Amino acid sequence: MRIRIEHPCVYLGPDGTKTDCLLIDEARVVAVGEQAKLGPVDRTERPEGRCVMPGLIDSHIHLWGLGLRAGSVSLRAAKSTQEVYGRLAGARPVGGWVLGTDWDQNNWSDGRELSREVLDDLFPATPVSLRRIDGHACWVNSEALRRAAISDSWTPPPGGEAWRVGGKPTGQLNGCLVDEGMKPIEAVMPPVTEVDDLATYLETARLLRSFGITGAHKAWMPMDRLKMLERLRDSNELGLRLHLLFDCNDPTLQMLLDRGPWSDDWISARGIKFFADGAMGSRGAALLDDYKDVEHSGLVVETPETMNRDIPRYAALGWQVAVHAIGDRGAQNVLDAFEKISAADRFKTRPRLEHAQMLDDRNLDRFEELGVIASLQPIHLFSDAAWIEEALSPEQLRRLFRWKDLAAGTRLSGGSDFPIEDPNPWHGISVAMTRKHAGGQVFHVEQCLSRHEALSLYTTDAAFAGFAENHVGRLDTGFFADFCVLDTDPFLATPDEIWDTKCLATFLAGRAT
């Protein structure tokens, strides 16, 4: 079917080049401008809105998982421990457990920790697991600890931590388990079914399209859900173009390796995901120096020895390797492993450092030297910079969110890290341009990105990070006709106006969604 799109302001890409007409045939743009006005068509569309632009791509998102399941209690934006307890009161179990998500102790005005004893009083015989907003910690009660065979004398595995009452190195557990320390709890919790994950995926895809997003990179993909996505693709219900980064520790990963990297018009299965460290909020990000407020430097989740061995091996097999690293020591460990990949394999596989949140000067320069993509989530600054001075020294703060420094010689890409953060890409673009955080202040204004750089994060840069730069991210001839219609012109609007941008319609491969 041949469709003509007519609008006085159609942006072809993040550079601001525009036209007034597109011709689409079989889901791809076949002509632009005057050439698009020639010849017969089956239908003409005249979208109503301020402008049309390429569909956006979220290059780091969790389309399901991280505690997302029906019946969980949302603890997002709770301002105190008492508010957390209030939301939990009367909660109904899910599969025999009381589940909560998205608590963040940095927002608690009373300065207290959650109490295992209070959770025991609320739920004396029902296990409780409350997952932190970043997914890197959970708070549990005594019944959950009992089911996981965790006693006060328990030693967490490498890469894990168990917080104790009063912050002491030994003694009674307060119920907070970090990173690998969560594994025994996860092992005894009721499993999430494919029906649950399918419902969550479809709702997340709908939400993303409502913002003008037409593509997403799933940042941690379990092998057992690949067939679910393939069925959605085959029934024309996938609703997003996906680039998948598979869990490096999946017990069935060899099946993927045997198949080899592959992609089609809808699904790209050519990435493998590692975790080098934890998260800043739970003090699990691995730092070169100790945190200011606790006497340790974070957690190493995947050991350097493992990454040095496996990452070059996967790259040699043609796999893109993406590694979560938030702290500066975590980033250094990842870059050390990437350096062991041959230059030819790095060029072919485009290794990615996910978050690139904290970098010292020496390791910042290595991105360009090694050809590593820095996968950023600007919205993290909006949340974290409001409290981060409590955790880090002035020198450590200088190493945070070095976007402009990276942009000078590094290929970037942009995402949200939803559901940890706000999935609205216009909020991320606005923050990238202003570096304004939730407290209303600006964090290191010299690291702001330009309008072009900020828009590129979610279009051409994200397309490149997913090996799709010849198919999506622009509306040139030969590209998929994935676009959105906006009530605001992001090439003319102020950053505050961009924050308030509304998507009026999203078109995916020529079909309104």
Side-chain angles (χ1 to χ4, degrees):
M1 176 177 288
R2 290 171 68 86
I3 303 171
R4 184 173 288 132
I5 305 295
E6 296 180 351
H7 192 283
C9 185
V10 179
Y11 287 107
L12 301 182
D15 57 359
T17 303
K18 61 183 179 181
T19 187
D20 61 356
C21 191
L22 300 174
L23 182 61
I24 301 166
D25 193 5
E26 298 299 329
R28 291 186 184 264
V29 178
V30 295
V32 174
E34 294 304 314
Q35 288 296 315
K37 300 174 184 179
L38 303 176
V41 294
D42 298 293
R43 188 172 77 247
T44 297
E45 300 268 359
R46 297 182 178 88
E48 295 185 5
R50 186 69 182 274
C51 71
V52 173
M53 71 172 290
L56 304 186
I57 303 163
D58 188 315
S59 65
H60 186 110
I61 192 167
H62 303 277
L63 298 165
W64 65 84
L66 292 191
L68 283 175
R69 65 170 88 183
S72 295
V73 179
S74 174
L75 306 175
R76 186 177 290 269
K79 299 301 182 184
S80 66
T81 54
Q82 290 305 311
E83 185 176 348
V84 171
Y85 300 141
R87 293 191 194 184
L88 290 171
R92 295 183 178 181
V94 177
W97 286 60
V98 170
L99 304 176
T101 60
D102 297 341
W103 58 268
D104 186 354
Q105 82 281 12
N106 297 301
N107 293 333
W108 296 341
S109 59
D110 53 12
R112 299 178 180 176
E113 297 177 343
L114 288 176
S115 167
R116 171 180 158 191
E117 285 73 17
V118 174
L119 294 180
D120 290 346
D121 289 341
L122 287 171
F123 305 101
T126 303
V128 177
S129 178
L130 313 176
R131 199 172 183 98
R132 194 180 185 279
I133 190 168
D134 54 21
H136 286 265
C138 66
W139 218 297
V140 299
N141 68 346
S142 295
E143 178 61 18
L145 293 172
R146 184 189 69 78
R147 295 194 183 194
I150 295 176
S151 67
D152 286 333
S153 60
W154 177 72
T155 300
E161 188 177 9
W163 292 4
R164 299 179 187 273
V165 174
K168 297 177 180 179
T170 60
Q172 183 180 357
L173 298 175
N174 70 1
C176 184
L177 306 173
V178 182
D179 287 312
E180 297 299 293
M182 299 188 292
K183 290 296 177 65
I185 297 293
E186 293 171 344
V188 296
M189 288 176 63
V192 182
T193 68
E194 183 174 311
V195 172
D196 294 329
D197 284 343
L198 174 61
T200 301
Y201 170 80
L202 292 174
E203 174 57 25
T204 303
R206 183 206 62 77
L207 175 65
L208 297 184
R209 292 195 304 270
S210 75
F211 297 131
I213 293 173
T214 55
H217 300 182
K218 178 154 176 53
W220 188 78
M221 174 69 191
M223 277 289 293
D224 63 359
R225 295 295 184 259
L226 178 57
K227 290 188 181 299
M228 177 185 84
L229 296 181
E230 291 179 311
R231 286 195 298 270
L232 289 172
R233 176 203 59 196
D234 295 343
S235 62
N236 204 28
E237 298 176 276
L238 194 60
L240 295 168
R241 300 193 197 279
L242 300 180
H243 180 62
L244 307 177
L245 303 172
F246 289 87
D247 174 15
C248 72
N249 291 314
D250 193 299
T252 62
L253 186 65
Q254 188 59 47
M255 295 172 58
L256 183 73
L257 300 180
D258 291 341
R259 182 174 179 178
W262 60 270
S263 62
D264 56 39
D265 288 351
W266 289 97
I267 296 175
S268 168
R270 54 194 302 177
I272 296 177
K273 172 79 178 292
F274 287 73
F275 283 84
D277 64 356
M280 197 74 72
S282 53
R283 306 306 188 265
L287 308 186
L288 293 170
D289 306 296
D290 281 355
Y291 287 88
K292 184 175 76 171
D293 59 345
V294 292
E295 293 182 357
H296 70 81
S297 58
L299 299 172
V300 172
V301 175
E302 204 69 68
T303 66
E305 293 76 17
T306 297
M307 292 195 295
N308 290 344
R309 179 194 67 213
D310 289 346
I311 286 176
R313 179 168 66 91
Y314 291 143
L317 294 172
W319 293 95
Q320 179 184 54
V321 178
V323 189
H324 162 114
I326 289 181
D328 47 9
R329 177 162 58 108
Q332 178 170 286
N333 290 344
V334 174
L335 293 168
D336 287 347
F338 285 166
E339 192 168 24
K340 297 184 183 305
I341 303 173
S342 73
D345 287 339
R346 285 200 302 270
F347 179 78
K348 288 188 296 185
T349 61
R350 304 179 187 179
R352 299 167 47 151
L353 199 153
E354 304 299 310
H355 308 304
Q357 193 164 314
M358 187 177 185
L359 301 164
D360 68 346
D361 292 340
R362 184 180 70 86
N363 286 304
L364 178 108
D365 294 337
R366 297 174 74 194
F367 278 78
E368 182 177 5
E369 295 168 8
L370 299 174
V372 175
I373 295 170
S375 174
L376 312 175
Q377 298 77 50
I379 200 65
H380 275 308
L381 181 148
F382 182 80
S383 301
D384 291 0
W387 56 263
I388 199 66
E389 290 184 4
E390 301 173 8
L392 301 178
S393 70
E395 171 55 28
Q396 290 172 318
L397 293 170
R398 186 188 68 81
R399 300 175 183 177
L400 279 177
F401 305 112
R402 300 182 68 175
W403 304 333
K404 196 67 174 181
D405 290 340
L406 281 167
T410 302
R411 196 67 182 251
L412 311 179
S413 69
S416 67
D417 210 4
F418 176 80
I420 294 169
E421 291 287 0
D422 175 1
N424 189 328
W426 305 106
H427 294 174
I429 291 167
S430 176
V431 171
M433 295 170 65
T434 65
R435 296 178 64 89
K436 187 183 296 184
H437 63 65
Q441 303 301 310
V442 174
F443 185 82
H444 286 270
V445 68
E446 73 278 3
Q447 294 291 339
C448 288
L449 294 180
S450 69
R451 185 183 304 268
H452 167 67
E453 290 167 335
L455 291 169
S456 296
L457 288 178
Y458 298 85
T459 52
T460 51
D461 287 344
F464 181 86
F467 300 89
E469 69 272 19
N470 295 320
H471 303 286
V472 293
R474 295 188 59 84
L475 291 172
D476 287 333
T477 301
F479 282 63
F480 284 114
D482 298 348
F483 61 89
C484 55
V485 184
L486 308 176
D487 73 342
T488 302
D489 186 333
F491 292 88
L492 301 176
T494 67
D496 287 344
E497 291 169 337
I498 289 176
W499 178 281
D500 292 328
T501 294
K502 299 294 186 294
C503 176
L504 304 177
T506 302
F507 290 75
L508 184 59
R511 296 186 305 276
T513 59

Coordinates of all heavy atoms in Angstrom, one line a residue, residues 52-83:
V52 N 6.1 16.6 12.7 CA 6.3 15.1 12.6 C 7.8 14.9 12.7 O 8.6 15.6 12.1 CB 5.7 14.6 11.3 CG1 6.1 13.1 11.1 CG2 4.2 14.8 11.2
M53 N 8.2 13.8 13.4 CA 9.6 13.5 13.5 C 9.8 12.0 13.6 O 8.8 11.2 13.9 CB 10.3 14.2 14.6 CG 10.0 13.8 16.0 SD 11.1 14.6 17.2 CE 12.6 13.8 16.9
P54 N 11.0 11.5 13.4 CA 11.2 10.0 13.5 C 10.8 9.5 14.9 O 10.9 10.2 15.9 CB 12.7 9.9 13.3 CG 13.1 11.1 12.5 CD 12.2 12.2 13.0
G55 N 10.3 8.3 14.9 CA 9.9 7.6 16.1 C 11.2 7.5 17.0 O 12.3 7.3 16.5
L56 N 11.0 7.7 18.3 CA 12.2 7.6 19.2 C 12.5 6.2 19.6 O 11.7 5.3 19.4 CB 11.9 8.4 20.5 CG 11.5 9.9 20.2 CD1 11.4 10.6 21.6 CD2 12.5 10.6 19.3
I57 N 13.7 6.0 20.1 CA 14.2 4.7 20.5 C 14.7 4.8 21.9 O 15.6 5.6 22.2 CB 15.3 4.2 19.6 CG1 14.8 4.1 18.1 CG2 15.8 2.8 20.0 CD1 16.0 4.0 17.1
D58 N 14.2 3.9 22.8 CA 14.8 3.9 24.2 C 15.8 2.8 24.2 O 15.5 1.6 24.1 CB 13.6 3.6 25.2 CG 14.1 3.7 26.6 OD1 15.2 3.1 26.9 OD2 13.4 4.3 27.4
S59 N 17.1 3.1 24.3 CA 18.1 2.2 24.2 C 18.6 1.5 25.5 O 19.6 0.8 25.5 CB 19.4 2.8 23.5 OG 19.9 3.8 24.4
H60 N 17.8 1.7 26.6 CA 18.0 0.9 27.8 C 16.7 0.9 28.6 O 16.4 1.9 29.3 CB 19.2 1.5 28.6 CG 19.6 0.7 29.8 ND1 20.7 0.0 29.9 CD2 18.9 0.4 30.9 CE1 20.8 -0.7 31.0 NE2 19.7 -0.4 31.7
I61 N 16.0 -0.2 28.5 CA 14.7 -0.3 29.2 C 14.5 -1.7 29.6 O 15.0 -2.7 29.0 CB 13.6 0.3 28.3 CG1 12.3 0.5 29.1 CG2 13.4 -0.6 27.1 CD1 11.3 1.3 28.4
H62 N 13.7 -1.9 30.6 CA 13.2 -3.2 31.1 C 11.7 -3.3 30.8 O 10.9 -2.7 31.5 CB 13.5 -3.4 32.6 CG 15.0 -3.2 32.9 ND1 15.9 -4.2 32.7 CD2 15.7 -2.1 33.3 CE1 17.1 -3.8 33.1 NE2 17.0 -2.5 33.4
L63 N 11.4 -4.1 29.8 CA 10.0 -4.1 29.3 C 9.1 -4.9 30.2 O 7.9 -4.8 30.1 CB 10.0 -4.7 27.9 CG 10.7 -3.8 26.9 CD1 11.0 -4.5 25.6 CD2 10.0 -2.5 26.6
W64 N 9.7 -5.8 31.0 CA 9.0 -6.5 32.1 C 10.1 -6.8 33.1 O 11.3 -6.6 32.9 CB 8.3 -7.7 31.6 CG 9.1 -8.8 31.1 CD1 9.8 -9.8 31.8 CD2 9.5 -9.0 29.7 NE1 10.5 -10.6 30.9 CE2 10.3 -10.1 29.6 CE3 9.2 -8.4 28.5 CZ2 10.9 -10.6 28.5 CZ3 9.7 -8.9 27.3 CH2 10.5 -10.0 27.3
G65 N 9.7 -7.4 34.3 CA 10.7 -7.8 35.3 C 10.9 -6.6 36.3 O 10.1 -5.7 36.4
L66 N 12.0 -6.8 37.1 CA 12.3 -5.8 38.1 C 11.2 -5.6 39.1 O 10.9 -4.5 39.5 CB 12.8 -4.5 37.5 CG 14.1 -4.5 36.8 CD1 14.5 -3.0 36.5 CD2 15.2 -5.2 37.5
G67 N 10.5 -6.7 39.4 CA 9.4 -6.6 40.4 C 8.1 -6.2 39.8 O 7.1 -6.1 40.5
L68 N 8.0 -5.9 38.5 CA 6.7 -5.6 37.9 C 5.8 -6.8 37.8 O 6.0 -7.7 37.0 CB 7.0 -5.0 36.5 CG 7.5 -3.6 36.3 CD1 7.8 -3.3 34.9 CD2 6.5 -2.6 36.9
R69 N 4.8 -6.8 38.7 CA 3.8 -7.9 38.6 C 2.5 -7.4 39.2 O 2.5 -6.6 40.2 CB 4.3 -9.2 39.1 CG 4.6 -9.2 40.6 CD 4.8 -10.6 41.1 NE 6.2 -11.0 41.0 CZ 6.6 -12.2 41.3 NH1 5.8 -13.2 41.7 NH2 7.9 -12.6 41.3
A70 N 1.4 -7.9 38.7 CA 0.1 -7.5 39.3 C 0.0 -7.9 40.8 O 0.5 -8.9 41.2 CB -1.0 -8.2 38.5
G71 N -0.5 -7.0 41.5 CA -0.7 -7.2 43.0 C 0.4 -6.6 43.8 O 0.2 -6.6 45.1
S72 N 1.5 -6.2 43.2 CA 2.6 -5.6 44.0 C 2.1 -4.2 44.6 O 1.4 -3.5 43.9 CB 3.8 -5.4 43.2 OG 4.4 -6.7 42.8
V73 N 2.7 -3.8 45.7 CA 2.4 -2.5 46.3 C 3.4 -1.6 45.8 O 4.6 -1.8 46.0 CB 2.4 -2.6 47.8 CG1 2.1 -1.3 48.5 CG2 1.3 -3.7 48.3
S74 N 3.0 -0.5 45.2 CA 4.0 0.5 44.8 C 4.4 1.4 46.0 O 3.5 2.0 46.7 CB 3.3 1.4 43.7 OG 4.2 2.5 43.4
L75 N 5.7 1.5 46.2 CA 6.2 2.3 47.2 C 7.0 3.6 46.6 O 7.7 4.3 47.3 CB 7.2 1.5 48.1 CG 6.6 0.2 48.7 CD1 7.7 -0.6 49.4 CD2 5.4 0.5 49.6
R76 N 6.8 3.8 45.3 CA 7.4 4.9 44.6 C 7.0 6.2 45.3 O 5.8 6.5 45.6 CB 7.0 4.9 43.2 CG 7.8 5.9 42.3 CD 7.4 5.8 40.9 NE 7.9 4.6 40.3 CZ 9.1 4.5 39.7 NH1 9.9 5.6 39.6 NH2 9.5 3.3 39.2
A77 N 8.0 7.1 45.5 CA 7.8 8.5 46.0 C 7.3 8.5 47.4 O 6.9 9.6 47.9 CB 6.8 9.2 45.1
A78 N 7.4 7.4 48.2 CA 7.0 7.4 49.6 C 8.0 8.3 50.3 O 9.2 8.3 50.0 CB 7.1 6.0 50.2
K79 N 7.6 9.2 51.2 CA 8.4 10.2 51.8 C 9.0 9.9 53.2 O 9.7 10.6 53.8 CB 7.7 11.6 51.9 CG 7.2 12.1 50.6 CD 8.4 12.4 49.7 CE 8.0 13.0 48.3 NZ 9.1 13.2 47.4
S80 N 8.6 8.7 53.7 CA 9.0 8.3 55.0 C 8.8 6.8 55.2 O 8.1 6.2 54.4 CB 8.3 9.0 56.1 OG 6.9 8.6 56.1
T81 N 9.5 6.2 56.2 CA 9.2 4.8 56.5 C 7.8 4.6 56.9 O 7.2 3.6 56.6 CB 10.2 4.3 57.6 OG1 10.1 5.2 58.7 CG2 11.6 4.3 57.1
Q82 N 7.2 5.6 57.6 CA 5.8 5.4 58.1 C 4.9 5.4 56.9 O 3.9 4.6 56.9 CB 5.5 6.6 59.0 CG 6.2 6.5 60.4 CD 5.9 5.2 61.1 OE1 4.8 4.7 61.2 NE2 7.0 4.6 61.5
E83 N 5.2 6.1 55.8 CA 4.3 6.1 54.6 C 4.5 4.7 54.0 O 3.5 4.2 53.4 CB 4.7 7.2 53.6 CG 3.8 7.2 52.4 CD 4.1 8.4 51.5 OE1 4.8 9.3 51.9 OE2 3.5 8.4 50.4

